[in-house]
Amino acid sequence: MIKYYRTMDHQIHEISEPMEGAWISLIHPTAAELAKIATEYKIDIDDLRAPLDEEERSHIEVEEGYTLIIVDVPTTEERKEKEYFVTIPCGIILTEKVIITVCLMDTAVLTDFRDGRVRNFWTFKRTRFILQILYRNASLYLQYLRVIDKKSDSVEKQLHISTKNQELIELLELEKSLVYFSTSLRSNELVLEKLLKIEKIKQYPEDEELLDDVIIENKQAIEMADIYSNILSGTMDAYASVISNNLNIVMKVLAVITIVMSIPTMIASFWGMNVPVPMADSPYGFVILVVISLILTIVGGYILGKKNMF
């Protein structure tokens, strides 16, 4: 899908055809759409396809007539009615006339610009627009990291009383997301460092502060991802032991109940034998045996309870 946008009158507008200073958004484009953009702006079609490969890593390539920037952006995907956090590559191609973004799916990073939720951005100020995309991307990582932290806290509360593996599996998925985030953020950091050295991307004095903010925001996201990952890893090890201990407690209680309930079963077995037994001819024999069984059961339960077996 190809969409053309341009900022006018302090607002973003969708336009019917490309013009100088426009932003061209490609969301899961078809082969025909890629070929059209490649021909029109003289871009190597392989560079347009690169961000559509989920395994593509963050990097910058300076070609004749354009610059390709690929960064990892955070997003969510739904599997088995549950939301998981992943990263996908997003390409930013800077040409002499327009900016082109290429992505496998619609992400919050670009949606915020299209919906006008980002203030003071202009599509014709291409360098600043790129920095604003990168800043929004780093901010979105921080936002998702806070969500992951809250989810891990919620799962931890369930683990206190759990004897199942489901909660541990959820924590494992969150830890995998943190690993993806940490790896992607470090790759993005290399892109930012290289961005400072590329002469083709004009550096304006008014953008220096924004670039510093992008670098700081990205470093903060890296630190948060590392901290949460270390905490979650330690938590998983601890709660694996907790789940095992909870299971042992359940098994101990069941074993104690089995021992206590075996007392009346044993007495009933003795008096159920087809041989002469005491009180066989007594009309109160059955009641006496029931009372004796209850007393012995209560005594056995009391003794085991005093030893903290329950």
Side-chain angles (χ1 to χ4, degrees), residues 9-22:
D9 302 326
H10 298 278
Q11 290 184 338
I12 185 79
H13 297 275
E14 187 174 340
I15 54 181
S16 57
E17 56 185 28
M19 61 176 67
E20 188 170 349

Side-chain angles (χ1 to χ4, degrees), residues 94-302:
L94 177 66
T95 70
E96 294 179 359
K97 295 182 178 180
V98 299
I99 279 186
I100 304 169
T101 58
V102 189
C103 200
L104 270 171
M105 63 180 70
D106 213 359
T107 67
V109 174
L110 301 177
T111 302
D112 287 347
F113 288 94
R114 289 202 307 271
D115 295 344
R117 288 196 291 267
V118 179
R119 296 181 180 180
N120 301 321
F121 85 93
W122 303 92
T123 55
F124 58 83
K125 291 185 177 181
R126 291 170 297 158
T127 301
R128 187 170 186 82
F129 186 29
I130 290 173
L131 293 177
Q132 287 173 314
I133 292 174
L134 296 176
Y135 182 80
R136 177 59 189 151
N137 187 40
S139 299
L140 194 61
Y141 271 107
L142 288 172
Q143 180 182 325
Y144 281 169
L145 284 169
R146 294 187 188 99
V147 174
I148 290 175
D149 186 44
K150 289 180 180 178
K151 280 195 171 187
S152 64
D153 287 341
S154 175
V155 175
E156 284 176 30
K157 290 178 182 177
Q158 299 174 29
L159 275 171
H160 283 286
I161 55 174
S162 175
T163 57
K164 300 179 180 179
N165 291 328
Q166 182 60 38
E167 287 76 14
L168 276 180
I169 293 173
E170 288 185 31
L171 284 182
L172 179 61
E173 290 292 340
L174 291 176
E175 188 179 28
K176 284 169 62 178
S177 297
L178 289 173
V179 172
Y180 294 147
F181 278 18
S182 182
T183 304
S184 297
L185 284 165
R186 293 186 189 283
S187 299
N188 290 352
E189 185 179 34
L190 297 176
V191 169
L192 292 173
E193 290 175 358
K194 192 172 180 180
L195 195 63
L196 295 169
K197 304 173 184 177
I198 295 179
E199 296 179 357
K200 272 198 171 186
I201 299 180
K202 295 181 180 179
Q203 304 289 338
Y204 299 98
E206 60 268 24
D207 295 334
E208 289 181 0
E209 184 178 347
L210 178 57
L211 180 56
D212 289 339
D213 290 342
V214 175
I215 294 172
I216 291 170
E217 198 84 352
N218 196 78
K219 285 184 179 294
Q220 185 179 352
I222 291 173
E223 291 174 2
M224 282 184 64
D226 289 342
I227 290 170
Y228 290 161
S229 183
N230 291 335
I231 291 174
L232 204 54
S233 179
T235 301
M236 285 184 61
D237 292 340
Y239 277 104
S241 300
V242 169
I243 287 179
S244 178
N245 189 53
N246 288 344
L247 184 60
N248 290 338
I249 291 172
V250 171
M251 295 303 295
K252 183 176 70 173
V253 171
L254 291 175
V256 170
I257 292 173
T258 302
I259 293 171
V260 171
M261 294 304 296
S262 68
I263 297 175
T265 302
M266 189 182 303
I267 294 174
S269 299
F270 288 153
W271 261 261
M273 294 181 181
N274 192 22
V275 293
V277 292
M279 296 182 292
D281 299 324
S282 172
Y284 303 105
F286 177 75
V287 175
I288 293 171
L289 287 177
V290 169
V291 171
I292 292 173
S293 298
L294 286 174
I295 292 173
L296 291 176
T297 300
I298 293 171
V299 170
Y302 176 76

Side-chain angles (χ1 to χ4, degrees), residues 66-112:
Y66 65 91
T67 302
L68 170 66
I69 304 171
I70 297 181
V71 293
D72 287 329
V73 298
T75 187
T76 59
E77 64 178 23
E78 196 168 304
R79 300 195 301 267
K80 297 180 180 179
E81 299 182 351
K82 289 193 177 182
E83 192 178 58
Y84 295 93
F85 298 91
V86 296
T87 61
I88 59 172
C90 177
I92 305 170
I93 300 175
L94 177 66
T95 70
E96 294 179 359
K97 295 182 178 180
V98 299
I99 279 186
I100 304 169
T101 58
V102 189
C103 200
L104 270 171
M105 63 180 70
D106 213 359
T107 67
V109 174
L110 301 177
T111 302
D112 287 347

